[in-house]
Amino acid sequence: QVQLVESGGGLVQPGGSLRLSCAASGTIFSIYAMGWYRQAPGKQRELVAAITSGGTTNYADSVKGRFTISRANAKNTVYLQMNSLKPEDTAVYYCNADRVISSTQIVPYNYWGQGTQVTVSS
C-alpha cells in the first residue's frame, strides 16, 4: 500500500509562514518528481510545486519567490515552505508522486490523501 500523509497546515495571517510536510510510506515506482498540489473550494486542483529525484524544482507562477519545495535526505519526506502567504493561498494542500506516462506527459499517481488545510485570513 502507498500512503501519503500531509501535515503542517493551519490558520495564519496574510504575510505569515507555514511549513508543510508530506510523509510517504509504501513503494512507488517510476517516480519522476514529488509535487505539492492545492485545491480551493469550487476550483480544480492545481500543481504549486514539484521536485524531481535529481533535485530540480518547478513552481507555479503564483507562488514563485514565496514557496520552496524540498525533501529530506531519506527522500521519503517532502516539505513545502510557504512564506508571504496571501488569502488566495487558502486551500487544501496535497502531496503526490508524479510519473512520466509519455514523452510529453507528466502526471500524478492516484495516491491522494486527506490533505492539510491552509487558511490565510486576518
Side-chain angles (χ1 to χ4, degrees), residues 99-117:
R99 63 188 174 98
V100 177
I101 62 172
S102 75
S103 62
T104 59
Q105 290 184 286
I106 302 173
V107 301
Y109 284 95
N110 191 27
Y111 297 145
W112 304 105
Q114 295 183 0
T116 185
Q117 177 70 50

Side-chain angles (χ1 to χ4, degrees), residues 29-34 51-54 56 97-100 106 109:
F29 298 99
S30 301
I31 296 175
Y32 174 77
M34 292 295 296
I51 183 168
T52 70
S53 59
T56 301
D98 301 325
R99 63 188 174 98
V100 177
I106 302 173
Y109 284 95

Side-chain angles (χ1 to χ4, degrees), residues 22 25 32 41-42 94-95 108:
C22 171
S25 62
Y32 174 77
Y94 304 86
C95 68

Side-chain angles (χ1 to χ4, degrees), residues 61-80:
D61 289 341
S62 60
V63 306
K64 284 183 178 178
R66 300 188 297 117
F67 291 10
T68 303
I69 188 171
S70 62
R71 62 182 177 223
N73 291 334
K75 299 183 179 180
N76 61 351
T77 303
V78 183
Y79 305 98
L80 185 67

